[in-house]
Amino acid sequence: MATHVITGAGSGIGAAVARRLAERGDELWLWARDAGRARELAQHFPGARTLVGDLAEPERLSWALGHQSPPDRIDSLVHSAGVVDLAGVGELTPRIWQATLAANLVAPAELTRLLLPQLRAARGHVVFVNSGAGLRASPQWSAYAASKHGLKALADALRGEEAPGGVRVTTVYPGRTATPMQEKVHRQEGKDYDPERWLTADAVATTVLTALDMPRGAEVTDLTVRPAG
């Protein structure tokens, strides 16, 4: 039975990954922003354990984790949480830039740093659920794309640093996926939202599990998945 720590398990891709891993009997540790959210996750995923810390405040994650008891060994850390706010560069404020970078880049970096001892002990796997915006930036997407480009750089550097110890690192770049975040994006774009046009969260979860299930000695470094058609 493998042990997984997952952020963003409350909805969308993170929830789909958590459900698939729970179905096969793995041990889940789900990251929650506060105690109320932790109770909701525990009810939704019976048997799962929770860890609490606000990813919007990465500078406080060390303190938060120091008052909890994470697992001694972690087979995978799946970063699926994220935020998005669309606007032109001329409209984006420092507050939006800072909030986007904190949640999408600094928090994954800090959480990875804090849990590296357990990942090293298990020769575990770090999975970053990135975005097509992590490979190219479009108008109105500068803050989000910058955070995701940074997340790619984080993953690439981490892979090189930790490979000698057997820790694997994968980045998954989903195209548009039918999630609550995508619905928010469509509202910001002023477009009608049709979830049937986009990837399902379960399809992206299959991609994540494909990377996790590679046999020892093999590593998928980057995976891009797009809606068909």
Side-chain angles (χ1 to χ4, degrees):
M1 181 175 63
T3 299
H4 309 275
V5 175
I6 305 171
T7 72
S11 67
I13 295 169
V17 171
R19 177 180 55 78
R20 294 280 293 277
L21 292 173
E23 286 173 352
R24 65 190 201 181
D26 286 356
E27 181 177 318
L28 301 185
W29 291 71
L30 307 179
W31 197 271
R33 64 177 174 267
D34 54 37
R37 188 61 159 170
R39 288 191 293 271
E40 293 175 5
L41 289 171
Q43 291 172 358
H44 193 67
F45 295 97
R49 303 186 187 188
T50 57
L51 295 165
V52 177
D54 191 349
L55 299 179
E57 298 181 302
E59 68 279 3
R60 293 180 58 83
L61 292 179
S62 178
W63 180 90
L65 204 57
H67 289 75
Q68 301 173 80
S69 299
D72 294 330
R73 294 169 57 89
I74 296 173
D75 293 288
S76 87
L77 169 58
V78 180
H79 294 285
S80 187
V83 299
V84 61
D85 279 293
L86 304 186
V89 174
E91 289 76 46
L92 287 168
T93 64
R95 181 187 63 79
I96 295 174
W97 275 102
Q98 290 165 359
T100 303
L101 292 170
N104 292 357
L105 176 57
V106 182
E110 175 65 352
L111 191 56
T112 300
R113 181 183 75 86
L114 294 170
L115 296 178
L116 262 178
Q118 293 95 320
L119 286 159
R120 288 167 175 162
R123 300 179 74 221
H125 200 148
V126 183
V127 178
F128 295 94
V129 179
N130 197 299
S131 166
L135 298 172
R136 60 198 158 275
S138 300
Q140 308 295 312
W141 287 77
S142 60
Y144 183 77
S147 71
K148 293 299 188 176
H149 274 68
L151 196 66
K152 179 186 185 303
L154 168 64
D156 291 347
L158 179 69
R159 184 180 304 112
E161 293 165 4
E162 297 299 325
V167 174
R168 297 187 286 189
V169 179
T170 298
T171 297
V172 176
Y173 304 94
R176 294 203 180 212
T177 306
T179 65
M181 177 181 282
Q182 189 59 231
E183 190 171 3
K184 176 185 177 181
V185 165
H186 275 69
R187 288 197 302 270
Q188 292 180 346
E189 293 177 323
K191 298 178 180 178
D192 293 333
Y193 175 60
D194 179 6
E196 297 300 319
R197 294 182 59 193
W198 311 123
L199 289 167
T200 65
D202 197 59
V204 182
T206 297
T207 308
V208 172
L209 266 65
T210 297
L212 291 177
D213 290 343
M214 290 296 291
R216 179 60 60 184
E219 178 182 30
V220 175
T221 59
D222 298 271
L223 276 170
T224 299
V225 55
R226 294 281 181 267

